[in-house]
Amino acid sequence: MGRRPLLAAAGWLATTVAATLVGLAAIQLVGAGITGTPGGVRDEREVARALASPAVTTTPGPEPTAGATPTATAASRPPAAGGGRRGFVTGGGTAVAECGPAGVRLVSWSPSQGYRVKDYDQGPDDHVEVRFVGPDGEHELRLRCRGGAPVATPHD
């Protein structure tokens, strides 16, 4: 075998090793953002603790366009002292409300896939409501406080 093919093979091998080392160094530098799960892997206790904490709510904004999702932000107000908090589910979406000294207040609301929020009254007031509109029509959720806890009331 001649000298030229031997040099070509050695050059190819050196280039391959160098490219591999540069790639591994780049992955090491970037860290787990490329190769790991964002936020890490959580066990059952951590998941239960995160779900029990109402730190994220859906905030109202301009009407979303088709395919848009609501914006999630940190809760802007602490829960009312002594008020009960409860979640509600309709065919058009979900809502969380709480009762306080000023009445019932919508804490968060989120439309189901394919639905949008048509109208809402966040409160606090004697009653609050949120309306979801989508392919199966309109779903209205009216809430008021009864016994210090939010309850759904029928539409007038």
Side-chain angles (χ1 to χ4, degrees):
M1 195 191 273
R3 190 173 181 169
R4 192 174 229 167
L6 193 55
L7 284 174
W12 179 84
L13 184 60
T15 303
T16 303
V17 169
T20 301
L21 291 175
V22 168
L24 289 173
I27 289 173
Q28 185 71 19
L29 183 65
V30 172
I34 287 179
T35 59
T37 304
V41 178
R42 297 182 178 197
D43 64 20
E44 284 184 46
R45 289 185 313 249
E46 290 173 319
V47 170
R49 200 173 328 128
L51 289 174
S53 170
V56 176
T57 62
T58 302
T59 58
E63 299 245 339
T65 57
T69 57
T71 307
T73 60
S76 59
R77 289 182 252 184
R85 184 177 276 199
R86 187 169 165 212
F88 298 88
V89 178
T90 70
T94 60
V96 176
E98 69 183 5
C99 290
V104 65
R105 178 177 75 89
L106 280 175
V107 176
S108 67
W109 55 96
S110 179
S112 298
Q113 177 123 13
Y115 284 79
R116 65 179 177 82
V117 175
K118 178 180 179 184
D119 191 25
Y120 65 92
D121 174 12
Q122 186 174 5
D125 204 346
D126 290 339
H127 76 275
V128 295
E129 62 188 29
V130 59
R131 289 187 194 142
F132 303 105
V133 178
D136 294 331
E138 187 172 301
H139 297 271
E140 181 179 6
L141 181 61
R142 286 181 60 105
L143 307 168
R144 71 176 343 126
C145 289
R146 190 169 294 143
V151 294
T153 60
H155 311 11
D156 292 338

